Amino acid sequence: MASSQGISWSIKEGSALDTFPVYVKELMAGGVAGGFSKSAVAPLERIKILVQTRTEGYHSMGVRQSLKRLLKHEGLAGFYKGNGASVIRIIPYSSLYFMTYERYKCWMLDNYAIFGTGPLVDLLAGSAAGGTAILCTYPLDLARTILAHEVVDAKASLESGSRNFIAQPRNSGIKSVLGGVYRESGVRGLYRGIGPTLMGILPYAGMRFCIYEELKRHVSEEHQRSIVMSLSCGALSGLLGQSVTYPLDVVKRQMQVDSGRYKNTWKAFTTIVSEQGWRQLFAGLGINYIKIVPSMAIGFATYDVMKLWLRIPPRQKTKSASTV
């Protein structure tokens, strides 16, 4: 049973889950956290991508008007277009992100005392975990962006000259997208936009855990397991981390949907600024703020709840427990 003061429930003693290694439990906890948080904000994520990529009819609209337009042309299903690819990506991404963060942090604490036990360790472990996770799952992020960028008029055919509006989708799903990209550009094409992604994810992923753990250190031990505390700290960590790295996310999205225009990250960055203005680097930031607060809050809170439910030991006990 959960309360605002803490969580007292967990898996039953003697459960088959008790036989799993700690890292497997961390993978499970991270995957559940990622799936829940991503699905909760899927409509806002779709709108953000349409704004970032300057899709016809959306780049100058507010959140409410964009949602109404999307509902009119694609129905409720339009809110979740690309979310299947997003969830398929986020579950392994989040699993690897949280699990490798725990592993990297324990490794540094055990072998590099020079880093201490404070924010620096969280920053370095979080950055390494983010880089590891994104390299393993990037093609799925590419597929999600392409699917979300494609706008379909499900109720009426629009004028053929309207950019990005088509009567029927060009891609039927993840397999169709990845197959088409691979045929066109090979393996390199599946990692189109990886440059700005890594440049953004390394500081962002590190800051997320660094800020989250630092905020938790200032909370009394009796409130450490509070869901409200996890939600609040998670929301603040996501908000601050995303603010610093957001322009690189815009560059990444435009590189993902326009395969032949940008040769590298710097070329994409300078072209966007010169042709679209520097404000485009922050296009969709307002939507992102609305999205990131519940997304990060739900993600971190769910991860903490899952760790308690799976009886994952505290980090100082993990080294001995991981040999199970």
Side-chain angles (χ1 to χ4, degrees), residues 108 111-117 120-121:
M108 282 189 280
N111 297 283
Y112 294 93
I114 191 173
F115 293 139
T117 60
L120 180 59
V121 173

Side-chain angles (χ1 to χ4, degrees), residues 299-313:
F300 275 113
T302 303
Y303 182 64
D304 280 346
V305 168
M306 289 298 295
K307 285 204 300 182
L308 290 170
W309 185 68
L310 293 168
R311 287 204 295 272
I312 296 174

Side-chain angles (χ1 to χ4, degrees), residues 142 176-190:
L142 176 70
S176 172
V177 171
L178 295 180
V181 172
Y182 181 77
R183 286 191 296 273
E184 180 183 335
S185 307
V187 174
R188 185 172 182 176
L190 296 175

Side-chain angles (χ1 to χ4, degrees), residues 1 4 6 12 46 57 62 70 98 151 156 175 202 260 263 269 313:
M1 182 174 64
S4 62
K12 295 180 179 180
R46 176 89 199 276
L70 194 59
F98 282 102
V151 180
K175 184 177 179 180
L202 294 178
K263 294 182 179 179
F269 183 89

Side-chain angles (χ1 to χ4, degrees), residues 32-42 90 94 294-300 302:
V32 172
F36 269 108
S37 63
K38 185 61 68 175
S39 296
V41 297
I90 202 62
S94 187
S295 177
M296 292 299 99
I298 292 169
F300 275 113
T302 303

